[in-house]
Amino acid sequence: MNYQKLKERIQAAIERKPDDFAAYEDYFALCREYEAVAFREAHTWNHAQRSLVSEALRRAALTEDFRLAERFDGLLFRSLLFGAPHFFDDYLQAVEYGRPRDKKFYQPRRHYLKRYVDAYQDVLDGKLDFLSISMPKRAGKSQLGINFTCLLSGKFPDRSTLMEGTGDDLVNSFYKGCLEYIQQPNDYHFYDIFPDSKLVQTNADVKTLNLLHKSRFPTVMCRSIDARQVGLSEATNLLYLDDCVEGREEAKNRLRLDDKWEVISGDVIGRAIEGTPIVICGTRYSLYDPIGRLQEEMRKQGKRTRILETPALDPVTDESNFEYVREGKKVFTTQYFRDQRQMLSAEQFASEFQQQPFEAKGLLFPEKSLNRYFSLPVDRDPDAIIAACDTAEKGDDFCAMPIAALFGNEVYIIDVVFDDSPPEVTKPACAKALRDNRVVSAMFESNNAGSYFARDVGEILTSLGYSCAIRTKRTISNKQTRIEFASDSILKNFYFKDPSLYEPVSPYAAFIKQLVTYTRSGKVPHDDAPDSLALLENELRHLTGAKVEVFRRVF
């Protein structure tokens, strides 16, 4: 059968008689039959035809031909049902088809949610391993995640989805949100889309539900991030994480964020069987929140990643990105968000509404501002190779020692020691780095036990048969002030290796990460990387006062 010619003949018939319902019915029947031959093309035809059906429905309603309008309305619904198991946009329209507009979630918001739906579609099609979504609160991100979970559960009921969030109230909303679509009676069309994926078991205590069959790892399990995971949960359909940070108070506490990330990275992520996609949603409170850290980790692992972070007010136009009509009134208007901006602190509005971590405006060394290099200058040797070391003052501090090759005013950071191990580890590491990089002079900060650290490094160098001028210097200036004053010179004159030149998991990478996330606003637990560079910059500043000149001997 030549499906293409049949399609052209039916389309010609529709053009001759735009209100001939039988021709539209024939076209839809052709799409259904063609699906077994060419799946994608058949659904492309179905999508293209849907707009014509919608227009015919509108004309029938305007002419008050209600019988014909009812037939076109039924055909439009069947067209959506045909695509719903395979296309998230179709599913969202089909599952709440026929409900009053003010009772619908998707249709009023479709104009701004469609970009997220398209990203979820790529997850469904196996084109994405990781999706990160951030938007203002109450804009629909969680409800969209619940709908996607329901779609996956109906399509693959024998697989499992794990939905994780912070706190019992949020987790309970996931559970009830899924049941709202699946548990009968209701006015949703889940079972018109997936007639075989019947609900066979629920458990409100552990927040689980099973479709089609009862299983040890249920079709959907909703768990709090802090709850016990071992032996109870597994994700083969989807690992969905939403609102992993309780709020601004937790976001301001770096130690709590570190603890939260330790739980997520060490336990929750391990629930996803290899190949299972991960979706994380939430507000971008902090540079150190789980969303940012998971984004970074997925990039390191080479996962196919998409990050969607949409501000409430467009940075260029200052207009709302989320306005829609609810109960006949516009909500999330430009004025609403501008009023929020006036009422809240700049920091709070930036994070909760604009998806800008509260530290972002206070970053002293933004990653995009760093000078990078692929190779050292090839036309000459460095003027000198020197180092500056910020020895660890407390048990959780890092020993940070950048090593610089000097070419005139340009400072190339060729190596670093960056380790929070005990001194018995970092002392030999410093000595080895000084020798291997042929450092001629090294300055060690002598506050606390720095003098003893420098002395021991010198002794190790002597035992290695290498000579380096080591000296100590006590610093009395305020650390934050020292870093602030050195920042301009560091950004202008210092050059760091291009990321392709070092491993993502290496001391150099850890050093750069701490540097680019150092902020002048708010307290940070570690500032060893920027402080060691400030020490180095101060050393170089003192060197610039001396001038070496070659002249003829006078005797």
Side-chain angles (χ1 to χ4, degrees):
M1 181 184 298
N2 191 322
Y3 291 95
Q4 183 64 39
K5 285 189 176 180
L6 276 175
K7 170 175 165 287
E8 292 171 357
R9 287 172 57 188
I10 295 172
Q11 285 178 324
I14 291 174
E15 289 176 5
R16 288 193 301 270
K17 296 183 178 180
D19 297 322
D20 182 4
F21 177 78
Y24 291 90
E25 185 75 54
D26 289 344
Y27 188 101
F28 180 62
L30 179 67
C31 292
R32 292 179 62 86
E33 185 174 337
Y34 191 41
E35 183 187 41
V37 178
F39 177 88
R40 285 287 173 185
E41 192 169 7
H43 282 282
T44 299
W45 290 1
N46 181 49
H47 289 150
Q49 177 71 356
R50 196 177 298 156
S51 60
L52 297 179
V53 174
S54 297
E55 183 61 25
L57 171 60
R58 188 188 67 83
R59 287 195 303 270
L62 287 174
T63 58
E64 298 185 354
D65 189 342
F66 299 119
R67 182 172 178 277
L68 182 60
E70 184 177 353
R71 297 179 74 187
F72 275 117
D73 183 69
L75 180 58
L76 182 60
F77 180 42
R78 283 185 287 143
S79 172
L80 288 168
L81 289 178
F82 178 51
H86 317 291
F87 301 96
F88 192 31
D89 184 56
D90 289 3
Y91 172 87
L92 289 165
Q93 294 179 73
V95 78
E96 54 185 6
Y97 196 84
R99 302 190 88 208
R101 184 176 176 84
D102 288 338
K103 297 294 184 181
K104 290 182 178 181
F105 159 70
Y106 184 55
Q107 202 68 39
R109 301 172 174 85
R110 186 172 182 258
H111 60 283
Y112 73 76
L113 286 180
K114 184 61 163 57
R115 65 189 301 254
Y116 306 101
V117 170
D118 290 343
Y120 271 114
Q121 185 64 44
D122 284 343
V123 174
L124 180 63
D125 292 340
K127 297 177 181 178
L128 283 180
D129 303 309
F130 174 72
L131 173 62
S132 173
I133 291 177
S134 297
M135 65 174 83
K137 53 191 174 185
R138 298 185 293 113
K141 61 178 175 54
S142 296
Q143 192 64 38
L144 207 57
I146 289 170
N147 272 282
F148 190 65
T149 295
C150 290
L151 166 60
L152 285 176
S153 300
K155 189 175 179 67
F156 307 110
D158 287 326
R159 301 181 190 174
S160 53
T161 292
L162 178 58
M163 305 183 77
E164 297 265 352
T166 296
D168 292 336
D169 291 341
L170 178 62
V171 169
N172 196 45
S173 74
F174 293 160
Y175 177 69
K176 290 182 177 179
C178 291
L179 281 180
E180 183 181 359
Y181 291 93
I182 296 172
Q183 199 170 37
Q184 297 281 48
N186 64 51
D187 55 355
Y188 292 103
H189 297 287
F190 180 83
Y191 291 113
D192 291 316
I193 301 169
F194 300 111
D196 297 327
S197 297
K198 300 296 185 183
L199 181 64
V200 296
Q201 185 184 44
T202 64
N203 189 323
D205 292 332
V206 292
K207 309 293 186 297
T208 61
L209 57 90
N210 267 308
L211 301 182
L212 191 62
H213 301 115
K214 296 179 181 180
S215 174
R216 175 191 171 193
F217 296 118
T219 306
V220 177
M221 171 174 273
C222 307
R223 301 285 293 170
S224 175
I225 288 172
D226 300 320
R228 186 169 67 92
Q229 310 284 337
V230 178
L232 295 175
S233 54
E234 180 180 85
T236 52
N237 239 349
L238 176 71
L239 176 59
Y240 178 80
L241 304 159
D242 195 339
D243 283 337
C244 297
V245 178
E246 291 183 26
R248 293 181 70 249
E249 182 181 355
E250 184 175 57
K252 287 277 194 176
N253 191 319
R254 176 69 184 277
L255 293 179
R256 287 179 64 181
L257 289 181
D258 288 345
D259 290 342
K260 182 67 66 72
W261 173 244
E262 186 174 336
V263 171
I264 292 174
S265 61
D267 190 5
V268 176
I269 300 299
R271 300 292 104 197
I273 300 303
E274 187 174 5
T276 301
I278 299 174
V279 174
I280 187 168
C281 301
T283 300
R284 285 309 317 271
Y285 284 108
S286 167
L287 292 170
Y288 306 98
D289 63 27
I291 295 181
R293 290 186 172 186
L294 195 54
Q295 289 173 359
E296 181 181 359
E297 188 59 37
M298 294 296 102
R299 288 193 190 101
K300 285 180 181 178
Q301 295 180 17
K303 302 296 186 183
R304 295 169 297 174
T305 296
R306 185 168 305 161
I307 297 169
L308 299 177
E309 296 176 349
T310 309
L313 291 172
D314 187 276
V316 177
T317 66
D318 202 40
E319 298 290 327
S320 171
N321 284 318
F322 296 94
E323 183 179 291
Y324 73 99
V325 177
R326 182 172 64 190
E327 297 179 357
K329 297 180 181 179
K330 291 182 179 180
V331 296
F332 288 161
T333 62
T334 295
Q335 190 58 49
Y336 167 78
F337 287 129
R338 289 177 180 175
D339 289 343
Q340 293 293 311
R341 183 169 59 191
Q342 289 293 322
M343 182 172 57
L344 303 175
S345 68
E347 174 188 288
Q348 186 176 359
F349 183 79
S351 61
E352 295 186 18
F353 287 88
Q354 295 298 93
Q355 309 313 309
Q356 297 173 359
F358 70 84
E359 308 99 335
K361 290 188 177 180
L363 289 178
L364 204 55
F365 304 97
E367 187 163 6
K368 292 181 180 179
S369 298
L370 295 185
N371 297 315
R372 297 285 192 165
Y373 73 88
F374 287 96
S375 62
L376 298 176
V378 296
D379 55 340
R380 57 194 175 100
D381 292 331
D383 301 329
I385 299 177
I386 67 171
C389 184
D390 176 18
T391 58
E393 295 183 6
K394 303 189 295 292
D396 59 347
D397 281 348
F398 284 75
C399 172
M401 187 179 74
I403 297 174
L406 310 181
F407 293 85
N409 292 328
E410 296 178 347
V411 182
Y412 292 80
I413 305 302
I414 58 175
D415 199 3
V416 299
V417 173
F418 193 65
D419 197 334
D420 60 354
S421 299
E424 55 265 27
V425 175
T426 55
K427 289 175 184 176
C430 286
K432 184 176 184 300
L434 293 173
R435 183 197 63 178
D436 292 351
N437 289 286
R438 301 174 64 186
V439 175
V440 296
S441 174
M443 187 278 289
F444 287 75
E445 186 179 29
S446 62
N447 296 9
N448 296 323
S451 296
Y452 300 102
F453 191 97
R455 179 200 63 192
D456 293 346
V457 170
E459 292 177 354
I460 296 172
L461 282 173
T462 300
S463 69
L464 294 174
Y466 185 77
S467 177
C468 174
I470 290 181
R471 67 185 188 88
T472 60
K473 180 180 180 181
R474 184 171 181 81
T475 56
I476 58 174
S477 60
N478 177 272
K479 185 184 293 189
Q480 280 70 35
T481 302
R482 181 169 64 241
I483 296 172
E484 184 95 20
F485 274 99
S487 62
D488 185 60
S489 177
I490 292 170
L491 290 172
K492 287 181 179 178
N493 302 319
F494 282 45
Y495 290 78
F496 301 88
K497 289 182 180 180
D498 185 81
S500 63
L501 301 180
Y502 54 85
E503 293 297 323
V505 182
S506 66
Y508 203 103
F511 183 92
I512 293 294
K513 179 181 178 181
Q514 193 180 101
L515 176 67
V516 299
T517 56
Y518 175 80
T519 175
R520 58 164 63 95
S521 61
K523 184 179 180 181
V524 294
H526 296 292
D527 51 17
D528 308 296
D531 190 32
S532 64
L533 287 174
L535 292 172
L536 179 62
E537 192 275 340
N538 287 344
E539 281 296 291
L540 294 172
R541 197 184 309 162
H542 294 140
L543 290 176
T544 58
K547 181 179 180 181
V548 177
E549 183 177 353
V550 179
F551 59 92
R552 184 181 299 275
R553 290 181 62 182
V554 297
F555 300 105

